[in-house]
Amino acid sequence: MAVTRWLTTALLIIGSGHLAAQTPRPPEAGGRIHSLGQPKRWHLEGSAGAGAWFEGPASQALYRAGFGVFRDLLSPITGLASVGLEGYAGMRGTSLDGGARALFRIPYLSLGTGADYN
């Protein structure tokens, strides 16, 4: 009986280092995630659009594309303040159009104001 207890105890001590439940798993294999980190402070955005202009004697096709970069001034989680620059170019019929914007936005409220030059 004492030999059986001794052998059982020895096997448990020796074998416990190889138990799969004791090794940490990576997150993609179902392991725990300790920190997801913060969102990035810099954001890029692009846009494209098309439409038609029906006023006047002839209708015209409208095309537009833009690109912008924005930076959060405060915590990116709260979305309370960001500033950014946008550039855009477009075409109405055969006329080219383009410009740039400087913007201040409050993403949490979906509000923004800025200056536009074209």
Side-chain angles (χ1 to χ4, degrees), residues 37-75:
Q38 295 288 321
K40 297 184 184 299
R41 287 194 179 267
W42 288 94
H43 307 277
L44 301 176
E45 70 180 34
S47 63
W53 181 264
F54 294 113
E55 291 184 17
S59 60
Q60 298 174 333
L62 305 169
Y63 304 101
R64 185 172 171 166
F67 180 77
V69 60
F70 292 88
R71 185 181 194 289
D72 290 309
L73 296 177
L74 302 172
S75 171

Side-chain angles (χ1 to χ4, degrees), residues 6-30:
W6 184 83
L7 285 173
T8 304
T9 304
L11 286 173
L12 287 174
I13 291 172
I14 293 170
S16 65
H18 301 289
L19 294 176
Q22 303 300 318
T23 57
R25 292 184 290 176
E28 62 271 8

Side-chain angles (χ1 to χ4, degrees), residues 49-110:
W53 181 264
F54 294 113
E55 291 184 17
S59 60
Q60 298 174 333
L62 305 169
Y63 304 101
R64 185 172 171 166
F67 180 77
V69 60
F70 292 88
R71 185 181 194 289
D72 290 309
L73 296 177
L74 302 172
S75 171
I77 294 173
T78 60
L80 293 178
S82 72
V83 293
L85 297 172
E86 286 184 350
Y88 58 90
M91 187 175 211
R92 184 172 89 186
T94 58
S95 302
L96 289 175
D97 185 26
R101 293 187 184 116
L103 299 166
F104 173 79
R105 300 193 309 183
I106 303 172
Y108 181 76
L109 300 176
S110 298

